[in-house]
């Protein structure tokens, strides 16, 4: 299975000049105030990969995702999704923000949060109806949270909240998923559940881009990786570029990670 | 006049009816929009906006010389909006935190407003008297046209809120995500803020610059305690706000014309207090009761499970044992033994206890549950 996947990628990268990438970032530079957070990033993400973005704290991992999604305004550079500007391709993209970015004491239920995933396709003013509710319930079932649908969101555990966010993105039925630290603060069983969903997405031909902190699990979970520390250090298949050399370049210290195989 | 006389009068007396209707509508609309301010964690924004409105009132008077409330409130609206956008500007353009920006705009605008008020009072113009009523509000000055204005604004806010309900909700919960879905979050943001400013300005004549933010926050904070649904929270806040208005007016009219604005605010505060103590799911009282109950339940379970382990070793589960072998490590007290007896889990005879069949069954269940929990 795994080799099939990498073969496909090899083909894609073999015809780079004509290939349309799922996500293509050119010369992206982002700064808060004076200090650049991202400097001149060029990034090409082929379709169908499950990619980790790794780097130390403050390396600009979340910033990169937010800039691609238009949440932050870059100083320079451009982003294209399947060859077109992001604004035209919104329907193809889903976002899972960091769990800590919202107030979980907000007065609403799990089902209601997942329904928000349908708001984009509904557009302005139109209310979600039965069809949207059905989609949301299906997504809840996929993440194993159906029995919690009426639960007030503050009464969910951290792992359950993360699954709710994941379900909200699944409802969007996108081609590309951006996830900001989906494994942060979740227990082992949730981590396994989430990674299984991510692998299922990849199997369905979706592209999944994940900000990830746990270097130990990179080779096990992902097939593609981007090293980031303000500048892009490297990007490519895990088996080719996930090595001590790149880790040292990214994290600044001699980072010893033993990789099996 | 006492309270019953008041309620008899309110139906007949034109002035009283106007004032009561006015404060009720005001309470409803500020409660409704206040829910959004509270959920956006912008509670202090209301305070800053209401204070920022003061110079607008003074300047509107200086320019037009008119004293009708519509002209002055229009001035208040302009200066309130100006203050709001300066606050946003300061937060986004400088390193200052939002509390600093709010405090800065609040005091600078309020100070400037007070300066203008004293300047106006020194003018040799008999017309100037009464502008200071906007400091603490004076519900008695409400006339029918004021109430109509309130009703129109309330209707408009209700319409906009229902129209953009979904957009408001997603902006309040997760702004960045709303942006990725293609919603113009800036527009929704400005829309909500505009209506909050409008509601505040509307209340200046009744409640005044200084206390206005309480009208925005108190009903919403009280409502949050009773529900976990956004729509229910908005409805409850409107109801609490309206009742605060009515009761506040009633109390102030029946008790020697106490100043209405502060009484309304105090009534709203009573709603908050009661809600924080007595709400079933979030209130302090029931939470404390639940904590105690949980504790004593755990104590009983602990004792019972210890008894289970002893009884397990005997073929006859009801074999009597000395009470002496229990100690408080096992959650044992005289009280807990008695409770176990009341629940018919054990039988006490002299200095011995023995498990009943029911008690053994209960303990077995607990034991199995615990085993499951450890897996």
């Amino acid at each position: 299975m795994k080799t099939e996947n990498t073969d496909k990628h090899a083909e894609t990268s073999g015809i780079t000049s004509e290939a349309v990438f799922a996500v293509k970032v050119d010369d992206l530079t982002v700064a808060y105030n004076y200090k650049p957070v991202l400097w001149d990033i060029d990034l090409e993400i082929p379709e169908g990969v499950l990619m980790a973005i790794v780097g130390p704290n403050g390396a600009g991992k979340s910033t990169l995702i937010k800039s691609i999604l238009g949440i932050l305004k870059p100083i320079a550079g451009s982003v294209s999704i399947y060859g077109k500007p992001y604004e035209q391709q919104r329907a193809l993209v889903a976002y899972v923000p960091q769990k800590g970015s919202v107030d979980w004491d907000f007065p609403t239920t799990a089902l209601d949060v997942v329904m928000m995933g349908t708001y984009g396709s509904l557009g302005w003013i139109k209310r979600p109806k039965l069809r949207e509710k059905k989609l949301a319930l299906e997504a809840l079932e996929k993440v194993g949270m159906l029995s919690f649908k009426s639960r007030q969101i503050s009464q969910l555990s951290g792992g359950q909240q993360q699954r709710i966010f994941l379900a909200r993105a699944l409802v969007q039925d996108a081609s590309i998923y951006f996830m900001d630290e989906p494994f942060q603060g979740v227990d082992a069983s949730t981590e396994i559940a989430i990674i299984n969903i991510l692998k299922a997405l990849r199997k369905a031909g979706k592209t999944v881009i994940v900000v990830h902190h746990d270097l130990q699990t990179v080779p096990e979970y992902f097939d593609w990786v981007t090293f980031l520390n303000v500048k892009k250090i490297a990007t490519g298949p895990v088996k080719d570029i996930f090595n001590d050399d790149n880790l040292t370049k990214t994290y600044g210290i001699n980072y010893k990670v033993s990789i099996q195989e | 006049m006492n309270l019953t006389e008041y309620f008899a009068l309110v139906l007949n007396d034109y002035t009283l009816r106007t004032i009561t209707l006015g404060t009720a509508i005001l309470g409803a609309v500020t409660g409704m929009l206040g829910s959004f301010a509270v959920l956006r964690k912008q509670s202090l924004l209301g305070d800053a906006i209401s204070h920022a409105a003061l110079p607008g009132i003074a300047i509107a008077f200086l320019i037009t010389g008119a004293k009708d409330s519509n002209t002055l409130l229009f001035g208040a609206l302009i200066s309130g909006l100006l203050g709001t956008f300066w606050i946003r500007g300061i937060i986004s353009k400088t390193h200052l935190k939002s509390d600093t920006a709010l405090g800065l705009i609040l005091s600078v605008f309020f100070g400037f407003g007070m300066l203008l008020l004293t300047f106006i009072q020194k003018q040799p113009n008999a017309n100037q008297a009464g502008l200071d009523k906007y400091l603490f509000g004076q519900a008695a000055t409400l006339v029918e046209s004021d109430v109509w204005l309130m009703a129109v604004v309330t209707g408009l806010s209700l319409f906009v809120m229902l129209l953009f309900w979904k957009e408001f909700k997603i902006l309040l919960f997760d702004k960045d995500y709303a942006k990725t879905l293609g919603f113009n979050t800036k527009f929704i943001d400005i829309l909500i803020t505009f209506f909050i400013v409008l509601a505040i300005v509307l209340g200046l004549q009744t409640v005044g610059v200084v206390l206005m933010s309480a009208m925005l926050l108190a009903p919403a904070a009280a409502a949050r305690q009773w529900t976990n649904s956004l729509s229910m929270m908005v409805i409850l806040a409107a109801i609490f706000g309206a009742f605060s208005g009515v009761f506040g007016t009633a109390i102030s009219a029946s008790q020697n014309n106490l100043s209405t604005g502060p009484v309304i605010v105090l009534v709203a505060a009573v709603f908050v207090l009661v809600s924080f103590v007595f709400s079933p799911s979030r209130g302090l009282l029931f939470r404390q009761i639940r904590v105690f109950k949980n504790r004593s339940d755990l104590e009983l379970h602990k004792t019972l499970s210890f008894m289970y382990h002893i009884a397990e070793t005997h073929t006859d589960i009801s074999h009597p044992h000395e009470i002496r072998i229990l100690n408080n490590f096992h959650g044992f007290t005289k009280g807990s033994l008695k409770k176990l007896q009341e629940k018919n889990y054990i039988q006490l005879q002299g200095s011995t206890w023995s498990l009943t069949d029911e008690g053994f069954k209960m303990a077995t269940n607990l034991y199995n549950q615990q085993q499951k929990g450890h897996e």
Side-chain angles (χ1 to χ4, degrees):
Chain A
M1 173 51 70
K2 200 161 189 185
T3 39
E4 262 178 45
N5 249 331
T6 27
D7 282 345
K8 205 175 98 193
H9 298 146
E11 279 170 30
T12 339
S13 45
I15 45 164
T16 309
S17 51
E18 287 173 44
V20 174
F21 289 97
V23 180
K24 192 167 185 297
V25 176
D26 288 306
D27 305 326
L28 188 76
T29 298
V30 181
Y32 300 125
N33 302 317
Y34 311 106
K35 209 174 144 214
V37 184
L38 292 174
W39 185 255
D40 205 17
I41 305 284
D42 291 304
L43 188 61
E44 286 157 348
I45 305 171
E47 183 178 27
V49 296
L50 178 46
M51 184 180 94
I53 303 176
V54 297
N57 291 333
K61 304 184 291 294
S62 299
T63 307
L64 176 60
I65 286 191
K66 285 183 180 171
S67 313
I68 293 174
L69 294 170
I71 297 169
L72 291 173
K73 215 174 164 189
I75 287 176
S78 66
V79 173
S80 66
I81 305 289
Y82 284 109
K84 287 183 191 156
Y86 169 69
E87 286 73 21
Q88 298 170 24
Q89 304 279 56
R90 273 185 210 282
L92 299 178
V93 178
Y95 174 46
V96 179
Q98 275 187 32
K99 184 159 59 67
S101 65
V102 302
D103 173 17
W104 288 93
D105 197 32
F106 193 80
T108 190
T109 61
L111 177 63
D112 213 28
V113 171
V114 178
M115 291 253 264
M116 287 178 188
T118 67
Y119 286 9
S121 59
L122 281 170
W124 288 87
I125 295 168
K126 253 193 249 153
R127 297 289 183 90
K129 299 246 167 55
L130 224 65
R131 193 187 85 90
E132 282 74 26
K133 192 174 171 186
K134 220 179 114 216
L135 288 173
L137 288 172
E138 280 170 20
L140 273 170
E141 185 160 25
K142 272 185 210 157
V143 299
M145 290 286 294
L146 194 56
S147 52
F148 294 90
K149 65 179 194 303
S150 315
R151 193 71 77 89
Q152 149 71 18
I153 52 172
S154 65
Q155 287 158 8
L156 299 171
S157 72
Q160 291 169 335
Q161 290 171 345
Q162 190 65 61
R163 291 188 199 203
I164 293 297
F165 260 12
L166 196 59
R168 185 175 70 171
L170 291 178
V171 166
Q172 291 179 250
D173 194 24
S175 307
I176 306 171
Y177 290 81
F178 288 93
M179 306 189 181
D180 205 343
E181 300 200 27
F183 301 111
Q184 196 187 39
V186 304
D187 58 22
S189 68
T190 302
E191 179 153 343
I192 292 166
I194 292 176
I195 195 64
N196 283 337
I197 291 167
L198 300 196
K199 285 181 173 168
L201 283 173
R202 177 182 56 189
K203 213 172 159 191
K206 317 280 190 183
T207 309
V208 184
I209 296 137
V210 179
V211 171
H212 193 58
H213 255 305
D214 182 9
L215 292 171
Q216 309 294 333
T217 53
V218 169
E220 188 192 332
Y221 291 171
F222 301 95
D223 57 8
W224 209 264
V225 65
T226 293
F227 290 95
L228 188 74
N229 190 353
V230 183
K231 294 177 183 178
K232 187 193 77 183
I233 310 294
T235 184
V238 170
K239 65 175 172 56
D240 297 342
I241 68 157
F242 193 72
N243 51 39
D244 284 355
D245 184 33
N246 280 325
L247 283 165
T248 308
K249 273 188 207 157
T250 309
Y251 288 85
I253 49 167
N254 196 3
Y255 216 105
K256 287 282 175 211
V257 174
S258 58
I259 304 167
Q260 273 79 35
E261 301 168 338
Chain B
M1 181 162 66
N2 60 36
L3 274 179
T4 33
E5 278 169 11
Y6 164 82
F7 281 111
L9 254 180
V10 94
L11 298 173
N12 303 316
D13 186 277
Y14 171 78
T15 319
L16 212 51
R17 197 172 58 209
T18 308
I19 295 170
T20 308
L21 206 57
T23 51
I25 293 176
L26 178 70
V29 70
T30 50
M32 188 172 92
L33 293 168
S35 303
F36 296 126
V38 166
L39 288 176
R40 298 186 70 192
K41 314 226 176 309
Q42 287 188 332
S43 305
L44 272 176
L45 184 67
D47 209 22
I49 294 170
S50 67
H51 282 76
L54 189 64
I57 293 171
I59 291 172
F61 174 77
L62 282 175
I63 293 174
T64 63
K67 242 177 63 179
D68 68 288
S69 53
N70 288 358
T71 312
L72 297 185
L73 289 184
F74 185 72
L77 180 65
I78 300 289
S79 110
L81 286 174
L82 198 68
T84 313
F85 285 109
W86 280 13
I87 290 167
R88 295 164 66 103
I90 290 174
I91 295 170
S92 65
K93 296 280 177 334
T94 72
H95 291 283
L96 294 177
K97 294 277 183 298
S98 65
D99 55 341
T100 317
L102 289 169
L104 202 66
I105 293 296
L106 182 153
S107 41
V108 168
F109 272 65
F110 187 62
F112 184 51
M114 288 304 288
L115 189 89
L116 289 174
L117 278 193
T118 41
F119 172 74
I120 290 169
Q121 269 159 15
K122 295 253 164 64
Q123 297 281 41
N125 177 351
N127 202 21
Q128 28 78 352
L131 274 192
D132 51 343
K133 76 173 183 207
Y134 286 97
L135 280 179
F136 297 104
Q138 204 170 1
T141 60
L142 283 178
V143 293
E144 201 180 313
S145 67
D146 297 329
V147 178
W148 272 114
L149 182 69
M150 285 180 183
V152 168
V153 171
T154 305
L156 193 67
S157 342
L158 198 63
F159 176 73
V160 168
M161 189 184 73
L162 289 177
L163 196 63
F164 293 107
W165 180 258
K166 165 174 120 258
E167 286 76 13
F168 281 10
K169 177 155 58 171
I170 196 168
L171 181 88
L172 291 175
F173 179 63
D174 196 345
K175 187 175 172 179
D176 281 354
Y177 183 69
K179 214 169 183 177
T180 67
L181 293 181
F183 290 104
N184 185 342
T185 50
K186 212 168 186 174
F187 170 73
I188 310 171
D189 200 9
I190 288 173
L191 201 63
I192 294 182
T193 312
F194 176 75
F195 275 97
I196 290 176
V197 176
L198 206 58
I200 289 171
V201 167
L202 215 54
L204 293 182
Q205 190 184 354
T206 318
V207 181
V209 163
V210 178
L211 292 174
M212 192 50 217
S213 67
M215 288 297 291
L216 210 61
L217 310 180
R224 178 68 187 93
Q225 294 293 306
W226 297 98
T227 175
N228 280 325
S229 127
L230 179 62
S231 46
M232 199 37 101
M233 177 178 167
V234 171
I235 292 169
L236 276 180
I239 292 173
F240 289 167
F243 271 98
S244 306
V246 173
F247 282 127
T249 313
I251 292 170
S252 97
S254 56
Q255 308 295 324
N256 246 341
N257 280 326
L258 283 174
S259 188
T260 316
V263 179
I264 293 177
V265 168
L266 285 180
V267 173
V270 170
F271 273 106
V272 174
L273 197 68
V274 170
S275 305
F276 272 82
V277 176
F278 293 106
S279 142
S281 61
R282 298 165 70 96
L284 296 174
L285 184 69
F286 289 96
R287 201 189 294 165
Q288 208 55 40
I289 290 174
R290 269 199 301 277
V291 168
F292 280 129
K293 192 172 172 308
N294 244 332
R295 244 192 141 95
S296 79
D297 278 358
L298 277 178
E299 254 172 33
L300 289 191
H301 290 168
K302 194 100 202 275
T303 314
L304 202 61
S305 78
F306 180 70
M307 290 172 163
Y308 169 79
H309 284 300
I310 296 175
E312 223 183 8
T313 58
H314 295 263
T315 39
D316 172 24
I317 51 141
S318 295
H319 183 84
H321 298 274
E322 290 289 317
I323 290 177
R324 271 183 298 129
I325 59 170
L326 303 169
N327 62 36
N328 30 7
F329 267 141
H330 311 126
F332 154 74
T333 57
K334 267 187 187 158
S336 62
L337 268 192
K338 220 169 163 187
K339 266 189 205 150
L340 285 173
Q341 194 187 17
E342 275 167 22
K343 293 191 174 192
N344 203 20
Y345 290 162
I346 59 168
Q347 279 179 337
L348 294 179
Q349 251 174 353
S351 64
T352 63
W353 59 265
S354 56
L355 274 177
T356 62
D357 283 346
E358 202 180 326
F360 188 76
K361 226 160 79 199
M362 178 72 190
T364 318
N365 278 342
L366 281 176
Y367 180 77
N368 288 339
Q369 260 172 35
Q370 256 173 24
Q371 291 304 309
K372 249 189 204 162
H374 282 301
E375 270 164 19

